[in-house]
Amino acid sequence: SSELTQDPAVSVALGQTVRITCQGDSLRSYYASWYQQKPGQAPVLVIYGKNNRPSGIPDRFSGSSSGNTASLTITGAQAEDEADYYCNSRDSSGNHLGVFGGGTKLTVL
Amino acid sequence: EVQLVESGGGLVQPGGSLRLSCAASGFTFSSYWMSWVRQAPGKGLEWVANIKQDGSEKYYVDSVKGRFTISRDNAKNSLYLQMNSLRAEDTAVYYCARVLGTAMVYYWGQGTLVTVSS
């Protein structure tokens, strides 16, 4: 199966901009999706496709992609953005499943 | 409002079986691929299985092939995961998921915890 690689932890000062990255060969062919997960809760989709936000997701969340790297950018991070973030894409091995990155723990200082 | 409500989790001994259910509402269940995704305690997310709208296609992660079976009942708006020959490494929160395409979760259930232990 395909692999997606994320940095385990990232920190950002309150109100600043942070970029969380995801690397993998499948990202050369497929868009990444991004999920936010807070402790004890189910994940929530925050970005999908080229740069789409589901209803209710603040516009400080945005997505981009270049080559084998996808990025989630939070512009003006808020305290409530502290969470784990997972990227996800289609598994390029042909098993018709999705694949997730290992997750990035975002700390807002 | 889309709702996915899982049930059926619990404590089971190694080698045992468990059947998870997911009751869906707020959308046309028969129009969507559905999936199960799991998360071991303190670990990341793992895609477990997919099922096509009419149940004619099913896909599994290698680690559960031959042990888990995904199924659905469109008349009851329900998704199932039959888990046999359970192992300690199957211990996780299992999420029911409505997917976009076959590889992106648009909606998640709240999850049900499966613990495999003697």
Side-chain angles (χ1 to χ4, degrees):
Chain A
S1 63
S2 305
E3 288 189 359
L4 297 176
T5 302
Q6 298 181 241
D7 291 329
V10 171
S11 62
V12 61
L14 184 67
Q16 296 304 300
T17 297
V18 62
R19 177 175 292 182
I20 299 170
T21 62
C22 174
Q23 290 188 304
D25 287 341
S26 63
L27 299 179
R28 297 184 184 279
S29 305
Y30 305 109
Y31 287 117
S33 301
W34 292 91
Y35 306 90
Q36 176 192 70
Q37 186 178 35
K38 297 181 180 179
Q41 298 183 18
V44 172
L45 178 68
V46 294
I47 290 289
Y48 68 101
K50 190 173 184 179
N51 182 20
N52 301 301
R53 283 177 289 106
S55 174
I57 301 301
D59 61 5
R60 62 179 179 272
F61 290 88
S62 63
S64 61
S65 184
S66 178
N68 73 335
T69 301
S71 300
L72 172 70
T73 300
I74 307 174
T75 303
Q78 302 299 302
E80 60 264 32
D81 299 334
E82 185 163 295
D84 293 327
Y85 290 85
Y86 294 91
C87 63
N88 147 247
S89 184
R90 185 169 175 174
D91 191 330
S92 58
S93 68
N95 67 4
H96 299 273
L97 297 175
V99 61
F100 292 98
T104 297
K105 168 64 178 175
L106 175 66
T107 300
V108 180
L109 304 172
Chain B
E1 179 193 5
V2 171
Q3 286 198 320
L4 300 168
V5 180
E6 301 94 336
S7 60
L11 175 64
V12 61
Q13 292 188 338
S17 297
L18 213 54
R19 189 195 195 206
L20 306 183
S21 299
C22 171
S25 61
F27 65 101
T28 305
F29 181 73
S30 59
S31 295
Y32 292 90
W33 282 78
M34 296 293 295
S35 303
W36 289 98
V37 175
R38 68 183 178 183
Q39 185 171 35
K43 303 297 184 182
L45 300 167
E46 180 181 36
W47 207 290
V48 175
N50 277 355
I51 186 167
K52 195 176 179 180
Q53 290 91 331
D54 62 359
S56 61
E57 295 181 35
K58 303 175 184 181
Y59 303 97
Y60 302 91
V61 68
D62 285 347
S63 59
V64 308
K65 281 180 182 175
R67 300 188 299 123
F68 289 12
T69 302
I70 189 171
S71 62
R72 64 193 296 161
D73 185 335
N74 287 341
K76 295 182 178 180
N77 291 338
S78 293
L79 177 71
Y80 306 101
L81 186 66
Q82 177 67 43
M83 303 185 295
N84 299 330
S85 302
L86 282 161
R87 306 166 180 168
E89 54 265 36
D90 296 318
T91 294
V93 173
Y94 285 74
Y95 293 102
C96 170
R98 194 191 98 175
V99 297
L100 191 63
T102 62
M104 191 202 91
V105 179
Y106 205 94
Y107 290 104
W108 300 75
Q110 87 288 349
T112 187
L113 177 62
V114 172
T115 303
V116 184
S117 175
S118 55

